[in-house]
């Protein structure tokens, strides 16, 4: 009788021999396959050991940005914290540059020429200014841009057609000449009316050259007129610099009308200003209420004389 092993294609003379073969032959040992590796193991322990130790079966924690893998989540987290490739970057899209901190980016935005405020150009003079206010001031003050238009004082003096008016003369000089030309006497109604009209023209002229107290351009015009340099960069600083300045208001108007660079005379005390005003008759009547927002009237007007003038 033939006792065959179909797996090995072998025959044995007895059942005992076949059983011995089945027990001992490696071909009949139980196999524990690893499908992923296409390998088999003779015991469960060997298979388990393979699954634990083989790199093919270790869980991997990948960093897609670096194309690297790590054996644990902790290792990956450490990599994400420490690697320069993953440090937080602050980008300036305009310059295509990166910075390590937000403060460094802000410093760059403040200082880099590429981020300087837009220039405000005066095409006629081929000059650029950092702010619109500076350009406006230039357009207003530069002799090159001053239009030949009649100011309130010009219109007042030209309302007397027979009077030979010279706009280049100081307003006080022109008014004194007008009084002599018209033969006015103190106390006459015609003289009082003319004086009132002259004072009204002075007030309008003052507002034309020096605007409102919340306007930095107006403050800069005043600071230039009284010789404050360098120009303060805020209205509050301008006010602080000009607060104790004593100047004649008519002198300020004359400075605005002229093209001269030198500032008006500044007096050390109100008494010095009072004496100068009385001597030159450069009188600006102080009858303005406290609500006027003009930068000069709010901060430089002084009480010079008592009573009406």
């Amino acid at each position: 009788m033939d006792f065959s092993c179909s797996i090995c294609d072998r025959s044995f003379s007895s059942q005992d021999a076949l059983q011995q073969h089945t027990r001992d032959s490696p071909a009949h040992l139980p196999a524990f396959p690893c499908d992923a590796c296409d390998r088999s193991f003779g015991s469960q322990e060997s298979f388990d050991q393979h699954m634990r130790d083989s790199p093919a079966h270790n869980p991997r924690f990948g960093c897609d940005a670096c194309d690297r893998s790590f054996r644990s989540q902790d290792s990956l987290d450490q990599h994400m914290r420490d690697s320069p490739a993953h440090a937080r970057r602050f980008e300036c899209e305009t310059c295509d540059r990166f910075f390590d901190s937000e403060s460094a980016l802000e410093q760059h935005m403040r200082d880099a020429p590429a981020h300087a405020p837009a220039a405000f150009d005066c095409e006629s003079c081929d000059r650029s200014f950092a702010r619109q206010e500076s350009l406006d001031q230039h357009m207003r003050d530069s002799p090159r841009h001053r239009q030949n238009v009649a100011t309130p004082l010009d219109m007042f003096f030209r309302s007397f057609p027979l009077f030979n008016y010279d706009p280049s003369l100081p307003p006080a000089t022109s008014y004194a000449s007008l009084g002599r030309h018209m033969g006015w006497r103190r106390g006459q109604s015609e003289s009082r009316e003319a004086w009132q009209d002259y004072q009204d023209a002075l007030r309008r002229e003052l507002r034309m050259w020096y605007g409102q107290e919340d306007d930095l351009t107006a403050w800069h015009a005043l600071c230039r007129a009284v010789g404050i340099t360098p120009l303060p960069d805020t209205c509050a600083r301008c006010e602080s610099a000009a607060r104790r300045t004593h100047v004649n208001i008519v002198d300020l108007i004359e400075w605005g009308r002229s093209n001269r660079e030198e500032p008006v005379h500044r007096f050390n005390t109100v008494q010095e200003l009072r004496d100068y005003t009385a001597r030159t008759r450069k009188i600006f009547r102080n009858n303005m209420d406290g609500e006027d927002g003009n930068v000069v009237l709010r901060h430089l007007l002084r009480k010079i004389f008592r009573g009406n003038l």
Side-chain angles (χ1 to χ4, degrees):
M1 184 176 180
D2 186 20
F3 298 91
S4 300
C5 174
S6 58
I7 296 174
C8 299
D9 195 23
R10 291 179 63 187
S11 296
F12 297 89
S13 59
S14 66
Q15 181 66 37
D16 292 339
L18 174 60
Q19 291 175 349
Q20 181 70 35
H21 162 75
T22 303
R23 283 197 306 271
D24 297 342
S25 173
H28 296 284
L29 291 175
F32 298 87
C34 174
D35 295 334
C37 300
D38 194 22
R39 291 180 62 187
S40 295
F41 298 88
S43 67
Q44 183 67 47
E45 291 81 1
S46 298
F47 175 72
D48 293 342
Q49 182 72 32
H50 164 75
M51 294 298 291
R52 282 196 305 271
D53 296 344
S54 172
H57 297 288
N58 282 333
R60 307 298 285 176
F61 299 86
C63 173
D64 295 335
C66 299
D67 195 22
R68 292 182 60 188
S69 295
F70 299 87
R71 298 188 65 174
S72 68
Q73 184 65 47
D74 291 341
S75 298
L76 174 61
D77 293 343
Q78 183 72 30
H79 164 75
M80 296 296 290
R81 283 196 303 270
D82 297 344
S83 172
H86 297 288
R88 188 179 177 189
R89 308 289 279 172
F90 297 86
E91 181 180 6
C92 173
E93 296 180 358
T94 303
C95 301
D96 195 23
R97 291 183 60 188
F98 291 87
F99 298 87
D100 293 333
S101 66
E102 188 171 6
S103 60
L105 174 61
E106 291 173 351
Q107 181 73 30
H108 164 76
M109 296 295 290
R110 285 195 302 269
D111 297 344
H115 298 287
F120 297 88
D121 298 327
C122 174
E123 296 180 359
S124 300
C125 300
D126 194 23
R127 291 182 62 188
S128 294
F129 299 86
R131 298 189 302 272
Q132 182 66 47
E133 293 84 355
S134 300
L135 174 61
D136 293 343
Q137 182 71 38
H138 164 74
M139 297 296 291
R140 193 166 59 238
D141 292 350
S142 172
R144 184 170 185 173
H145 296 289
R146 287 187 179 174
Q147 298 179 356
N148 188 22
V149 296
T151 71
L153 282 170
D154 294 335
M155 289 186 286
F156 166 74
F157 287 116
R158 286 171 180 162
S159 66
F160 301 90
L162 299 180
F163 175 60
N164 185 20
Y165 171 57
D166 182 355
S168 66
L169 294 176
T173 301
S174 294
Y175 187 79
S177 298
L178 176 63
R180 290 191 295 270
H181 171 78
M182 300 298 295
W184 291 329
R185 295 291 182 268
R186 187 177 179 87
Q188 291 179 340
S189 60
E190 186 178 1
S191 176
R192 287 196 302 270
E193 291 175 4
W195 178 254
Q196 177 64 49
D197 291 342
Y198 171 60
Q199 290 296 320
D200 289 343
L202 285 175
R203 284 192 290 274
R204 293 196 303 273
E205 190 95 5
L206 185 69
R207 291 191 183 93
M208 184 181 77
W209 297 113
Y210 310 98
Q212 298 299 300
E213 63 177 340
D214 60 354
D215 180 6
L216 184 60
T217 303
W219 274 111
H220 281 175
L222 176 60
C223 288
R224 276 191 288 269
V226 301
I228 295 174
T229 56
L231 294 178
D233 58 359
T234 66
C235 292
R237 289 175 180 170
C238 289
E239 178 185 349
S240 178
R243 182 178 298 135
R244 300 184 182 279
T245 301
H246 303 306
V247 294
N248 181 272
I249 303 299
V250 180
D251 279 349
L252 283 178
I253 295 172
E254 182 181 336
W255 186 91
R257 291 170 57 85
S258 70
N259 294 328
R260 73 174 192 260
E261 294 293 332
E262 65 274 13
V264 300
H265 182 73
R266 296 164 66 175
F267 299 91
N268 294 322
T269 65
V270 174
Q271 186 58 51
E272 288 183 8
L273 172 59
R274 182 177 292 120
D275 294 342
Y276 170 83
T277 302
R279 184 175 68 256
T280 61
R281 299 296 294 172
K282 293 183 176 182
I283 298 170
F284 185 92
R285 189 164 56 189
N286 183 358
N287 64 347
M288 305 298 295
D289 61 49
E291 298 303 318
D292 191 283
N294 177 261
V295 64
V296 173
L297 298 180
R298 289 277 289 176
H299 300 280
L300 296 187
L301 191 61
R302 306 287 186 257
K303 189 172 183 62
I304 302 299
F305 301 110
R306 297 181 183 275
N308 295 325
L309 292 172

